[in-house]
Amino acid sequence: MNLLEIAANLITGASILLAGRNSVHTWWTGIVGCSLFAFVFLESRLYADTVLQAFFVVTSVVGWWQWLHGSHGEALPVTDLPMRQLLWQLLYGTLGALGYGMLLHRFTDAYAPFLDSTVLAFSIVAQLLMMRRHVQSWPFWLLVNSIAVPLYASRGLYLTSVLYAVYWINAVVSWRHWLHLRGAEPAAAA
């Protein structure tokens, strides 16, 4: 554990808690935290997670704008994802995990390429759903966190592993909170 990992965990932890509370401030804190985590994961040879952090930075900019203006100039409401679209997201995540895992296995010295790729693929699915304020983003975050905790611990990233265990609990609480928010008037952007 080093200062970079500690800073990445603190800032990203704040971002995740803000997401669960449906606060637009989740996005700018996420940009800072993910930028720091990119370096942490690169040092640990978790290349899919490094790429994922770059994805998070870009989508955080887009998510920030969408939460503020994404519904005809109004803040997006919390909604459900239709079942058919949910099944497509499961398929995309599975194919992405297998495909990227094969690439990492074949062409890099990545540690646990298929687990790392599963975290990548389903984090992308969860992030895209969260950007659109779909309740179903939270079960995907539960899956990601369930895999990430032991993966990060196996690389000696114990603080990050503990944080992802806290994220797991936050995903359960946030899922329940967003279930209550869905169908309500759009939340205040602050």
Side-chain angles (χ1 to χ4, degrees), residues 48-93:
D49 277 304
T50 303
V51 170
L52 180 60
Q53 300 313 305
F55 170 81
F56 282 155
V57 168
V58 171
T59 58
S60 290
V61 172
V62 175
W64 195 353
W65 186 87
Q66 284 185 328
W67 276 32
L68 289 173
H69 310 288
S71 182
H72 308 291
E74 300 290 325
L76 283 176
V78 174
T79 59
D80 280 313
L81 184 69
M83 181 57 74
R84 182 177 172 154
Q85 289 180 15
L86 180 63
L87 294 174
W88 279 109
Q89 298 304 316
L90 283 167
L91 178 63
Y92 295 148

Side-chain angles (χ1 to χ4, degrees), residues 146-167:
S146 296
I147 296 166
V149 169
L151 176 64
Y152 299 157
S154 73
R155 296 306 293 157
L157 299 171
Y158 301 115
L159 179 61
T160 303
S161 183
V162 168
L163 183 68
Y164 272 73
V166 172
Y167 289 172

